[in-house]
Amino acid sequence: MATSMFIRFSNFRNLLKINSNVLGISSNTTQCLESISRLSSTQQSEALTDQSGIKILHTTKAMQTYMKRIKKHEELMEKEVFEYEKGKRHLANMMGMDAENFTDEDVDRSLEYLFPSGLYDPKARPLMKHPKEIFPPQKVAEFSADGKPLHPFFFMITPVYYETLHSIVEQLRNLDDLEDKFTKSTGTLPNENKMDPHESVWITKVQLENLLLEKLYDDQYEYFIKTMEKLLNHPLSQRAEEFIMKYRIKLAINTKDYNFLPIMYTEDGKPYVKVFPCQRKSATATVTVFGEGTGKITINGKDISYFKDMQSRQQVIFPLIFTNMIEKVDIEAVVEGGGNTGQSGAIRWGIAWGLRSFVTPEVVQNMKIAGLLTRDWRIRERKKFGQEGARRKFTWKKR
């Protein structure tokens, strides 16, 4: 029996053209099986030493690529940290301060003093931050002793993203099982088990990428939000509140600071809010927002065609589109003075200010972030005496 098995392995070895005289390959069955395993493998194996100094005998191409990327990132970070510390010492010497006790706040104050700028956007000003705050962190993968990755989705382009989707599905299954359990036992669901979404918003695509340490496409982010919305709208979503809040940001909304206009009612019971005065440049408008409307817009007795240019029309309807109230309210505006830009800006601010009473606090917070609730106080600068214009001077000639 043993002789026949040896003959079959020998024939199989000859079929694979394995030379018995090659160093490291002998005629015994165990080494023949190892040779067949090595020939059938499509991944290259080499000796490699990880960061902890432990020698790993078998490494795959994926592991080699990962180790090279990590090594390249570490070399880059080491170089950038050295340059940062060097520049920080030079900056401390310029300011006459102790370089050892020079903090990040001192760096910001020094840059503000040495590089004054009239730009209001902080991103446009000079910046000096630690490389760890500028360069995105790298994902850390774990491998077994034989060089195989431990993460189940390692060979996918975005493994953490798909792992998160699987976690969402697992949460949904747990809630469905709990819902079936309540339905079978009591016939009804417990009260107040659905999470209130009005006090928080979903994180943005950039924030999700920073959380997962992966670059995502727009359709991947949209699919993630739709999946999380399904979990949020579950009747028992409050049981998964801790998991959901990992991907939502709480809004610190103080409704007292917004000074919501009181809702009044017409004789037929239709709610409305009246905003006056609405000013932009030299234009003044009175805007009335009617709830339970059909999207009708009236400006000085005319429709939206009151403005001939398309830009002014877009300015008027933008707050309605932003709040998704385009066909849910009616607008009636009376405006005088100024030109198209001033009148459309005044009506836009009045519409946005009146819509606050008909939308949720979450939408109001988004309107504030978008700048719809901020009044534009800019006006045309007057001409000065002895000058050709507000800033322009007359041409000076010596002779």
Side-chain angles (χ1 to χ4, degrees), residues 248-261:
R248 292 183 69 88
I249 302 176
K250 289 187 177 181
L251 297 176
I253 300 177
N254 188 2
T255 56
K256 296 182 179 179
D257 297 339
Y258 288 134
N259 296 323
F260 290 144
L261 299 174

Side-chain angles (χ1 to χ4, degrees), residues 117-359:
S117 175
L119 299 174
Y120 294 100
D121 191 354
K123 295 182 180 179
R125 301 174 183 174
L127 182 67
M128 184 177 176
K129 295 293 183 182
H130 197 277
K132 292 183 179 179
E133 300 181 20
I134 299 176
F135 294 94
Q138 295 290 316
K139 290 190 298 183
V140 178
E142 295 181 355
F143 297 86
S144 60
D146 56 353
K148 295 181 180 179
L150 299 180
H151 198 284
F153 303 100
F154 177 81
F155 293 101
M156 306 188 74
I157 299 178
T158 53
V160 183
Y161 170 77
Y162 287 102
E163 184 183 18
T164 305
L165 292 181
H166 276 261
S167 301
I168 299 173
V169 174
E170 185 179 357
Q171 293 286 336
L172 281 171
R173 288 178 179 175
N174 294 336
L175 294 182
D176 289 339
D177 294 341
L178 191 60
E179 182 181 6
D180 295 339
K181 182 179 179 181
F182 280 123
T183 305
K184 291 180 180 179
S185 60
T186 61
T188 58
L189 294 176
N191 297 327
E192 299 180 359
N193 273 269
K194 190 173 182 180
M195 185 176 169
D196 185 11
H198 295 143
E199 298 180 356
S200 58
V201 294
W202 295 115
I203 59 178
T204 61
K205 178 175 175 288
V206 177
Q207 293 172 337
L208 181 61
E209 290 176 342
N210 295 334
L211 182 62
L212 303 181
L213 300 180
E214 295 175 347
K215 289 293 183 181
L216 303 177
Y217 295 105
D218 293 337
D219 54 348
Q220 288 180 321
Y221 174 74
E222 292 176 0
Y223 184 79
F224 171 80
I225 295 299
K226 290 180 180 179
T227 310
M228 290 298 297
E229 285 285 353
K230 187 176 181 180
L231 178 62
L232 181 64
N233 295 329
H234 196 278
L236 301 176
S237 59
Q238 193 174 7
R239 304 296 179 95
E241 182 177 3
E242 183 178 355
F243 177 81
I244 295 174
M245 290 308 298
K246 293 180 181 179
Y247 309 100
R248 292 183 69 88
I249 302 176
K250 289 187 177 181
L251 297 176
I253 300 177
N254 188 2
T255 56
K256 296 182 179 179
D257 297 339
Y258 288 134
N259 296 323
F260 290 144
L261 299 174
I263 297 179
M264 298 178 288
Y265 295 88
T266 59
E267 295 180 355
D268 55 352
K270 192 174 184 178
Y272 73 95
V273 172
K274 191 172 185 179
V275 185
F276 176 84
C278 307
Q279 296 177 341
R280 172 73 174 98
K281 293 186 176 180
S282 57
T284 304
T286 301
V287 178
T288 306
V289 181
F290 294 92
E292 301 176 2
T294 58
K296 183 179 179 181
I297 299 177
T298 305
I299 303 173
N300 289 347
K302 300 180 180 180
D303 56 5
I304 193 68
S305 61
Y306 171 82
F307 294 107
K308 304 302 181 182
D309 58 317
M310 188 61 62
Q311 182 179 1
S312 299
R313 297 179 183 180
Q314 292 175 351
Q315 289 289 318
V316 171
I317 65 176
F318 178 71
L320 300 173
I321 298 176
F322 186 84
T323 57
N324 197 20
M325 300 286 286
I326 188 68
E327 296 181 352
K328 299 178 182 179
V329 295
D330 293 335
I331 306 299
E332 184 177 330
V334 178
V335 61
E336 59 181 7
N340 291 337
T341 303
Q343 290 186 354
S344 61
I347 295 174
R348 164 181 160 155
W349 184 85
I351 294 174
W353 202 256
L355 285 176
R356 300 175 309 155
S357 303
F358 296 97
V359 296

